[in-house]
Amino acid sequence: MEFDLIDAIRARVNIARGDVALGIGDDAALLDVPASRQLVACTDTLVAGVHFPSGTAPEDIGWKSLAVNLSDLAAMGAEPAWALLALTLPDADAQFVERFANGFATLADKHAVALIGGDTTQGPLSITVTTLGFIPVGAVLARDGARAGDSVFVTGTLGDAAGALEWLLDGRCAPAALLARLHRPEPRIAAGLALRGLANACIDVSDGLLADLGHVCAASGVGVELDAGALPLSSALVANFDAGACRQFALAGGDDYELCFTVPPACEARTVEALAAGGCGATRIGRIVAGSDVRVLDANANEIEITHVGWEHFSR
Ligand code: ADP
Ligand code: MG
């Protein structure tokens, strides 16, 4: 059974790349790393009931398990190349695996990511994906490069996935535009590539803007002031929630998978231009300041008190 499942995955996720000397089928994959490139690696686990509501379509789980990983590569400025898939399944459900693999393959195709191996085991539903990509030596977008005076930007819109989740937790069917953001996040690969040489620091927003921006500030030894009124909100979010809820979702809701980055003033115009060309656009939401505080300001520059900054495992 295990090998039938592996064959089914392999048949559906079969992006060919010339740099895969040996893919699925041996004890390990053999890969050609281009000279003058650094290898970028990351991994993320999705656990049923924690990272997606039970009842999520298998295609969406397949897409999202790869998307959250590609989002991490995007935040480093990397070009994705390869993925490994460790799948733990309650039973040998061929239909689930086929549908899962179809969702995974749809996104893998878009970014020419080859599935080069993995593991298949029995247990409570859990998916671990590892992705690998390349970056020219010295071009990485790290978290520790933010400097006082930088502008803070975010791609796309914030809070949509958190809005969708709110509807689902209420037992209601969420608006399609919000649901798509929850189940099919688009990793901002093109934006990450465009930010090479422009951004001082970058992170992907997965646990909530304030929590993730807090990591950038801590790593860089700086503080940040955000303008609440500048947070980019989708029309679908604004149509379905009041202003306070929208702000809370945008500041602390999880699962955005947008890039948050800082750029020195001299690079601002070029950055906005580059990301407009990249499709998702970017919005200036604040500035990096001296100190270590993460503060959110209203239209009169008064601080807004924040009680919840984002999602953290083991916090309950
Ligand atoms: P081993 O016992 O040597 O670890 P496995 O029997 O687990 O090998 O896997 C056989 C081959 O299938 C390996 O190349 C492995 O990388 C690949 N593989 C196993 N599970 C998956 C999966 N879920 N997705 C992709 N490749 C897989
Ligand atoms: Mg194995």
Side-chain angles (χ1 to χ4, degrees):
M1 282 312 277
E2 178 188 333
F3 296 101
D4 295 340
L5 296 177
I6 297 171
D7 284 343
I9 293 168
R10 188 181 187 175
R12 276 171 181 74
V13 193
N14 62 350
I15 291 93
R17 287 181 61 104
D19 51 16
V20 181
L22 210 49
I24 295 173
D26 213 308
D27 292 313
L30 187 65
L31 307 160
D32 298 325
V33 182
S36 82
R37 291 283 188 279
Q38 285 178 300
L39 194 59
V40 184
C42 64
T43 197
D44 252 318
T45 296
L46 265 59
V47 176
V50 178
H51 297 94
F52 53 88
S54 48
T56 303
E59 291 86 350
D60 290 337
I61 302 172
W63 172 290
K64 192 166 178 176
S65 66
L66 180 59
V68 302
N69 272 275
L70 294 184
S71 179
D72 281 323
L73 290 188
M76 303 297 284
E79 169 198 346
W82 308 311
L84 294 134
L85 168 62
L87 205 48
T88 302
L89 302 166
D91 44 59
D93 182 343
Q95 210 208 342
F96 175 91
V97 168
E98 230 171 80
R99 294 179 59 189
F100 173 92
N102 284 337
F104 189 102
T106 306
L107 184 59
D109 264 323
K110 273 182 93 161
H111 297 285
V113 173
L115 183 64
I116 54 161
D119 200 18
T120 307
T121 55
Q122 189 169 22
L125 179 60
S126 154
I127 302 107
T128 298
V129 173
T130 300
T131 54
L132 299 144
F134 312 130
I135 199 156
V137 176
V140 73
L141 307 175
R143 294 181 180 186
D144 62 1
R147 296 290 172 261
D150 283 1
S151 288
V152 179
F153 283 84
V154 70
T155 58
T157 58
L158 294 168
D160 297 317
L165 194 59
E166 181 94 347
W167 280 63
L168 294 184
L169 295 179
D170 275 355
R172 297 180 297 163
C173 184
L178 299 182
L179 260 192
R181 296 297 312 274
L182 178 66
H183 290 317
R184 299 254 169 168
E186 286 286 351
R188 301 303 189 190
I189 297 292
L193 295 177
L195 288 173
R196 287 178 183 170
L198 292 172
N200 274 345
C202 185
I203 193 167
D204 72 318
V205 182
S206 54
D207 296 331
L209 176 69
L210 291 178
D212 288 318
L213 199 46
H215 298 317
V216 170
C217 289
S220 301
V222 294
V224 65
E225 285 176 357
L226 295 180
D227 302 318
L231 296 168
L233 306 174
S234 72
S235 51
L237 194 71
V238 171
N240 284 286
F241 294 96
D242 65 36
C246 287
R247 183 162 77 199
Q248 184 59 26
F249 291 147
L251 288 172
D255 271 354
D256 289 308
Y257 302 106
E258 297 293 354
L259 298 185
C260 181
F261 53 93
T262 84
V263 290
C267 295
E268 259 188 61
R270 266 189 298 153
T271 301
V272 171
E273 206 175 298
L275 293 204
C280 60
T283 306
R284 185 180 186 278
I285 57 170
R287 63 224 141 257
I288 297 294
V289 296
S292 59
D293 294 341
V294 176
R295 306 197 314 142
V296 183
L297 307 181
D298 67 16
N300 300 316
N302 293 319
E303 184 166 0
I304 298 172
E305 199 191 330
I306 304 295
T307 51
H308 172 69
V309 299
W311 171 259
E312 193 177 340
H313 290 276
F314 305 110
S315 62
R316 288 187 279 197

